[in-house]
Amino acid sequence: MEREMIVILDFGGQYKQLIARRVRACHVYCEIRPCTTPLEELRALAPKGIILTGGPGSVYAPDAPLCDPGLFSLGVPVLGICYGAQLMAHLLGGQVRSAEISEYGRTQLWIDGPGSPLFQQVPRETTCWMSHRDYIAALPAGFIATAHTPACPTAAMEDTCRNFYALQFHPEVLHTPEGTEMLRRFVWDVCGCGESWVMDSYIEEQVAAVRAQVGTGRVLLALSGGVDSSVAAALLSRAVGKQLVCVFVDHGLMRKGEADKVKAVFGPGGFDLTFRPVDAGERFFAALKGVTDPEQKRRIIGEQFIRTFEAEARALGEVDFLAQGTIYPDVVESGTGSAGAVIKSHHNVGGLPKDLSFSGLVEPLRPLFKDEVRELGRKLGLPESIIRRQPFPGPGLAVRIVGEVTPDKVRIVQEADAIFQEELQRFDVDTGSGQFFAALSNLRSVGVMGDGRTYEYAVVLRAVSTEDFMTATAARLPYELLDRCMNRIINEVDGVNRVLYDLTSKPPATIELE
């Protein structure tokens, strides 16, 4: 089945990744593109529909993000969300004004157009998530209002003759309980998309694409043992077999026992690939000595990764391609391919040295979200112990240590994290829908142990629940579990006299500490 596409034009909205994830959940492929994407490029993509995201600005602001108005002449359905709804009204002849009463948060929603294609399966009265200062005061010609809230007379509008739809609220967030249904009706019924985005066909496509790109060349993959690199290894193994050389770099920043687990799964007798472990801990610690800035740490680790691979490539002889487990959130959060801000740099995205000595990059997971990667892993036959493994950042424990990274600090985090994981298992906590780990703050405080005064570090326990890793909330762990972790960590891990629990959601924080 030919892959159909929905294009999401990004106007700086914080929820753009969620829109994409909801569309993918309908088994329809989509990509996020900048709102400034030229009209000819949009036409060449041949989308089945276009979604305009929200954004923080006003359509009347001098620096307001805009799109080419010609997209409304492409003959494809368009859905505007929040700022995208206001921009649609503005560009098509309506009026947008500042609201006397702003709406933020959960809001009651009444459907005025039950015959609307978007609201076919939606109750006449429901709730939605609002976030706006401006509102659509006058509808463009040809539009009718199809929903309202207490403070917003046009919470939704549509022109079914031209297949233009607009929602002032955010259907992509879980706080709009019927939002997924609205998006499903748009991509399936209005845009006429079928369920063409399935993992079985993706495997076939990527195996063929990798074989075409690589030919008889050798491929070098950074295998960390995490979900992304492991799935990439399994997919590439199916495509090119022993042409794939998986280099496992033990940089000294792994979780406790991680190196042995990776070797057990991917070593001799495992997958059809060449497995090559490298002990590079001293090299990484030397490069990180005295460095405290989190972005600098990420850049250094990315550079050391690449240099290590180059050294391995030279030792191996001719190696043509570098493979990476880059996934879509890495691309989006790095500010690549969208109008969003750079949240954090990533050693897999845009951070490669200019003198990289490989012929090209192979990134078979680049279009996928994390849950899609897990689904793909199951299709490829990876064990659940790998597929459900707790997410682990590419820079390793360096981003779970605030401040300078030293072997002793890594030891503290490894031991504290191992205790945390043991207790999570003991209390039968489901860690499959989130991320749970211990980190080390740069806070040192006075304590009393025995009859003596201590001046030691504070360990931070971080546990979040998330559906897509774009947003997250602190997990509500039992107090007894936290109390037991505190006692064990302080008694069993040298250098710690305080344990904290991080309650911050994402946003405003990121999941990792750095």
Side-chain angles (χ1 to χ4, degrees), residues 462-464 472-474 501-510:
R462 180 75 161 140
V464 298
T473 56
Y501 186 58
D502 187 349
L503 288 170
T504 319
S505 63
K506 174 187 179 180
T510 56

Side-chain angles (χ1 to χ4, degrees), residues 317-331:
E318 184 179 352
V319 175
D320 305 283
F321 295 90
L322 175 66
Q324 298 186 140
T326 308
I327 66 174
Y328 204 42
D330 299 334
V331 177

Side-chain angles (χ1 to χ4, degrees), residues 54-82:
S58 169
V59 297
Y60 292 122
D63 58 348
L66 302 173
C67 60
D68 190 323
L71 72 85
F72 295 106
S73 302
L74 291 177
V76 300
V78 181
L79 170 65
I81 295 175
C82 195

